[in-house]
């Protein structure tokens, strides 16, 4: 049983091809999303169809793999059953690859006014708000109201925030000016707030500084060491400073699927399941957690592996090989060696 049709889940499913086993992949959506390009859908550069592929089509060559549209609500490791809204289903092996969602750090009410970017639906909502902002500004007679409508705030200076802020400013400056008569879209204000000392904190410092310079050259206002303390429909607050903005987009944090808490294992601050060297849950060798839902710290490292597609795919392939070897041969030589991530670059 594989829960999740993202990079990790699909990589695991492909490893389980042509073996004497029944494989099932469950997901709440019927399509796989190429998440690295979601920001281009959000900024109207790509259509959703360009970055989404039906899971059934992707696994069409695996007749022994069933794909089911289901909302998993829990996992009973004692009885080896996956709990879905309609009931439950048994498993011999379980791979949890359900990913992450936005984390508003205890301020979930911000989500309605500051959408994040993790799904096709998120991307189309951000695109709708962005394009409607320019339409509204075109016929707004009040100068202050127009400035607020043309102010876009992006909270979070990681890859998603940097890409989103840069793309919005690029479109406003280079693509849209010819489309409007009453406003100059190039004057749109894009502000990127990052709580830490640099953007792209997971990258080498030299690349962070280069990214910051490029954003500023493009016209994005980069505000570092700036923590948003409140968000509402009229703008954002940072301490005693208020910034009027009709559009706020969230890219500041993620938390793991709530399903990890039903495993009964240790989780980190983001809710990710802390897994062993073979990516299994301690005490449950037949339950694997991979991809963004897993917290795995390699031997000799001080921090867990990042939540990126490369890590997810390699974890999926590893877990799939372990199960394949145990089903076909009884033991797994792969499991005897700890998972090792090979970074191919960013």
């Amino acid at each position: 049983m594989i829960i999740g049709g993202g990079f990790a889940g699909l990589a695991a499913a492909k490893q389980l091809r042509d073996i004497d086993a029944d494989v099932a992949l469950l997901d709440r959506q019927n399509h796989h999303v190429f998440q690295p390009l979601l920001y281009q859908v959000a900024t109207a550069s790509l259509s959703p169809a360009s970055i989404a592929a039906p899971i059934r089509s992707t696994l069409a060559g695996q007749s022994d793999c069933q794909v089911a549209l289901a909302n998993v609500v829990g996992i009973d490791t004692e009885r080896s059953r996956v709990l879905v809204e309609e009931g439950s289903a048994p498993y011999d092996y379980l791979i949890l690859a359900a990913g992450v969602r936005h984390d508003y750090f205890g301020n979930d009410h911000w989500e309605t006014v500051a959408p994040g970017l993790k799904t096709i639906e998120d991307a189309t909502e951000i695109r709708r708000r962005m394009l409607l902002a320019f339409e509204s500004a075109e016929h707004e007679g009040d100068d202050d109201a127009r400035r607020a409508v043309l102010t876009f705030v992006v909270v979070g200076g990681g890859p998603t925030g940097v890409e989103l802020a840069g793309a919005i400013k690029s479109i406003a400056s280079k693509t849209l000016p010819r489309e409007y008569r009453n406003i100059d879209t190039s004057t749109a204000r894009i502000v990127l707030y990052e709580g830490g000392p640099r953007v792209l904190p997971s990258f080498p410092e030299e690349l962070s500084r280069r990214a910051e310079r490029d954003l500023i050259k493009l016209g994005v206002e980069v505000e570092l060491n700036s923590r948003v303390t409140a968000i509402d429909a009229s703008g954002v607050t940072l301490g005693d400073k208020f910034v009027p903005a009709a559009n706020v987009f969230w890219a500041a944090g993620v938390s793991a699927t709530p399903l990890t808490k039903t495993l009964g294992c240790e989780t980190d601050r983001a809710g990710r399941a802390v897994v062993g060297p073979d990516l299994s849950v301690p005490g449950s060798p037949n339950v694997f957690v991979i991809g963004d839902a897993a917290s795995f710290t390699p031997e000799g490292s001080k921090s867990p592996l990042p939540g990126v597609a490369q890590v997810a795919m390699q974890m999926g392939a590893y877990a799939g090989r372990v199960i394949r070897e145990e089903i076909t041969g009884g033991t797994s030589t792969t499991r005897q060696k700890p998972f090792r991530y090979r970074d191919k670059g960013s």
Side-chain angles (χ1 to χ4, degrees):
M1 191 80 76
I2 302 170
I3 301 175
F7 289 110
L10 287 180
K14 290 178 179 180
Q15 282 291 324
L16 297 173
R17 182 174 186 159
D18 299 329
I19 61 173
D20 185 19
D22 295 319
V23 182
L25 189 151
L26 311 181
D27 199 293
R28 288 187 298 182
Q29 304 286 349
N30 64 357
H31 56 269
H32 166 74
V33 178
F34 190 81
Q35 287 192 352
L37 289 180
L38 268 176
Y39 81 97
Q40 292 206 22
V41 174
T43 53
S45 298
L46 289 176
S47 73
S50 298
I51 68 165
I55 296 174
R56 294 182 185 276
S57 298
T58 304
L59 299 175
Q62 295 182 228
S63 58
D64 53 357
C65 182
Q66 297 290 326
V67 177
L69 197 65
N71 184 27
V72 179
V73 296
I75 299 163
D76 184 346
T77 55
E78 291 186 3
R79 297 193 301 141
S80 295
R81 299 189 74 88
V82 171
L83 312 178
V84 297
E85 289 181 337
E86 297 81 8
S88 66
Y91 64 82
D92 295 303
Y93 288 93
L94 174 68
I95 297 177
L96 177 59
V100 293
R101 280 293 289 172
H102 327 298
D103 185 6
Y104 290 87
F105 308 113
N107 298 285
D108 292 345
H109 57 286
W110 291 355
E111 186 169 10
T112 56
V113 290
L117 184 58
K118 281 294 177 186
T119 66
I120 291 289
E121 291 78 10
D122 294 335
T124 54
E125 175 61 16
I126 288 176
R127 181 178 66 180
R128 183 187 72 84
R129 295 188 184 202
M130 180 190 74
L131 295 178
L132 284 180
F134 291 108
E135 293 295 333
S136 176
E138 173 78 349
H139 300 289
E140 176 58 66
D142 182 79
D143 290 341
D144 291 338
R146 187 188 305 112
R147 277 193 292 271
V149 169
L150 290 178
T151 297
F152 299 85
V153 169
V154 179
V155 183
T160 298
V162 166
E163 290 169 340
L164 196 57
I168 294 174
K169 186 59 180 178
S170 180
I171 288 171
S173 299
K174 301 175 182 178
T175 305
L176 294 180
R178 297 185 301 273
E179 305 293 329
Y180 294 89
R181 303 287 181 85
N182 301 324
I183 60 171
D184 179 3
T185 60
S186 66
T187 63
R189 183 187 181 197
I190 289 79
V191 188
L192 176 65
Y193 289 114
E194 165 56 37
R198 60 189 178 103
V199 298
L200 301 180
S202 63
F203 283 68
E205 187 168 354
E206 180 182 351
L207 295 182
S208 294
R209 299 308 176 198
R210 172 61 188 269
E212 181 184 350
R213 290 196 301 270
D214 287 348
L215 285 170
I216 293 172
K217 183 178 180 180
L218 195 61
V220 176
E221 299 176 34
V222 180
E223 301 286 346
L224 304 175
N225 298 305
S226 302
R227 296 188 178 276
V228 172
T229 54
I231 305 175
D232 59 31
S234 60
V236 299
T237 301
L238 300 93
D240 56 1
K241 174 185 176 182
F242 177 74
V243 179
N247 283 281
V248 182
F249 304 131
W250 186 262
V254 294
S255 60
T257 169
L259 293 176
T260 58
K261 292 181 172 60
T262 69
L263 294 173
C265 66
E266 180 187 357
T267 57
D268 66 8
R269 289 189 303 172
R272 298 179 298 176
V274 178
V275 296
D278 61 355
L279 305 183
S280 70
V281 174
S284 300
N286 64 332
V287 177
F288 298 83
V289 183
I290 59 176
D292 293 357
S295 177
F296 175 75
T297 304
E299 185 178 354
S301 177
K302 296 181 180 179
S303 57
L305 291 175
V308 296
Q310 276 192 62
V311 174
M313 289 188 288
Q314 291 181 35
M315 282 183 164
Y318 176 94
R321 282 196 301 271
V322 169
I323 295 173
R324 182 187 188 91
E325 290 169 0
E326 292 187 349
I327 288 176
T328 57
T331 60
S332 170
T333 57
T334 298
R335 192 194 284 268
Q336 295 169 9
K337 305 172 185 177
F339 171 72
R340 181 182 177 188
Y341 171 57
R342 292 171 174 82
D343 189 351
K344 300 179 181 179
S346 297

